[in-house]
Amino acid sequence: MNREWSELNKAMQEKLRRESTFAEGLDDLFTLRKQLMEMLDSFETELSREDFSAMPFPNAKGYHCKTIAYSIWHIFRIEDIVAHTLIRGDEQVFFGGNYQKRMGAPIMTTGNELVGSEIAEFSEKLNLQELYSYIKEVKDSTEKIIRELPYGGLKKKIPGERKEALLALGAVSTDESAAWLVDYWCRKDIEGLIRMPLSRHWIMHTEACLRIKSGLK
């Protein structure tokens, strides 16, 4: 893991545990996310359209077996679901902004259920300009939600009705490769969701993108 990102992530987690350092912890979180977003933004200007759909390591065991376009989609579909449906209990950016149509996406899920060539085919269909519009809107809206959280709200669990609302939306595939996510998220408190997926998940998949980029010809 990138040392600077790892240290920021560790410092953020420690500071969020204490009310006296809670605000500093949020600052660290937003600094980390800013750095990661800058890296994702750099792909838009540095890479070709074909690069976003390339799979230089299709048989790898890690997250770098995917594509860059898929990885970006995956990070932010999960964030949108968690921040809006589970934490805030309001409409996802994806639905409110009609982003499925705007991006030309054949799915509305996190993409966990896609494998092999399905990932490349999915990636080729995405409108990258709209994908980047989506991820920036999700990032900003998530950070607004987090800024409004009181320290005492971090230990709140996700209400059962929000889990039911998520299941009703169909935003997570019922395939066994994805269905586990719902229970995984809903067992966490809000602090746990900030740690994963709203910070560490970004690091994991951004680093995978960098490995994919390193393998491009």
Side-chain angles (χ1 to χ4, degrees):
M1 184 180 288
N2 175 288
R3 183 173 180 178
E4 184 176 2
W5 296 342
S6 178
E7 290 178 353
L8 260 176
N9 188 53
K10 183 178 179 181
M12 175 270 294
Q13 292 188 30
E14 289 294 326
K15 291 172 183 176
L16 288 183
R17 293 193 179 104
R18 299 185 296 276
E19 187 168 8
S20 61
T21 56
F22 173 62
E24 292 177 32
L26 292 184
D27 287 342
D28 286 347
L29 171 64
F30 298 141
T31 297
L32 172 63
R33 287 165 57 91
K34 180 176 182 290
Q35 291 182 10
L36 292 166
M37 182 60 93
E38 287 172 351
M39 184 60 67
L40 298 179
D41 281 342
S42 73
F43 300 148
E44 189 177 19
T45 56
E46 295 174 5
L47 302 180
S48 69
R49 179 63 187 85
E50 291 73 24
D51 290 339
F52 277 89
S53 303
M55 296 178 70
F57 307 108
N59 300 314
K61 298 294 185 182
Y63 295 119
H64 57 296
C65 70
K66 319 290 186 181
T67 70
I68 291 175
Y70 169 93
S71 301
I72 293 172
W73 164 280
H74 179 72
I75 293 168
F76 289 92
R77 278 305 290 129
I78 284 181
E79 175 154 321
D80 197 5
I81 290 166
V82 168
H84 287 279
T85 302
L86 297 181
I87 295 177
R88 174 61 70 84
D90 63 3
E91 185 177 46
Q92 292 175 29
V93 171
F94 186 80
F95 298 115
N98 196 27
Y99 271 107
Q100 184 168 10
K101 181 177 180 180
R102 289 167 60 180
M103 288 188 280
I107 62 172
M108 64 175 180
T109 62
T110 64
N112 285 67
E113 69 278 12
L114 300 181
V115 295
S117 61
E118 294 174 343
I119 294 171
E121 291 166 7
F122 163 76
S123 302
E124 289 167 0
K125 293 175 181 177
L126 290 178
N127 180 313
L128 292 184
Q129 184 176 356
E130 293 294 351
L131 174 63
Y132 270 92
S133 293
Y134 174 63
I135 72 172
K136 289 169 185 175
E137 192 171 343
V138 171
K139 175 183 179 291
D140 290 346
S141 65
T142 296
E143 291 175 5
K144 184 176 185 296
I145 290 169
I146 293 173
R147 285 187 188 280
E148 293 173 355
L149 288 172
Y151 171 75
L154 292 185
K155 296 304 179 184
K156 288 186 177 179
K157 295 285 189 178
I158 302 303
E161 61 268 22
R162 293 188 185 171
K163 177 180 179 180
E164 295 304 315
L166 174 55
L167 291 170
L169 282 174
V172 177
S173 171
T174 56
D175 186 272
E176 64 180 3
S177 62
W180 62 273
L181 284 167
V182 177
D183 285 334
Y184 173 75
W185 295 327
C186 291
R187 283 195 297 265
K188 294 178 178 286
D189 57 20
I190 292 176
E191 182 180 350
L193 292 173
I194 289 174
R195 294 180 182 179
M196 185 72 172
L198 304 185
S199 54
R200 188 167 182 271
H201 191 243
W202 277 51
I203 298 174
M204 292 159 52
H205 286 283
T206 301
E207 291 193 330
C209 286
L210 291 171
R211 292 192 69 179
I212 295 168
K213 182 182 176 185
S214 74
L216 296 173
K217 296 180 180 178

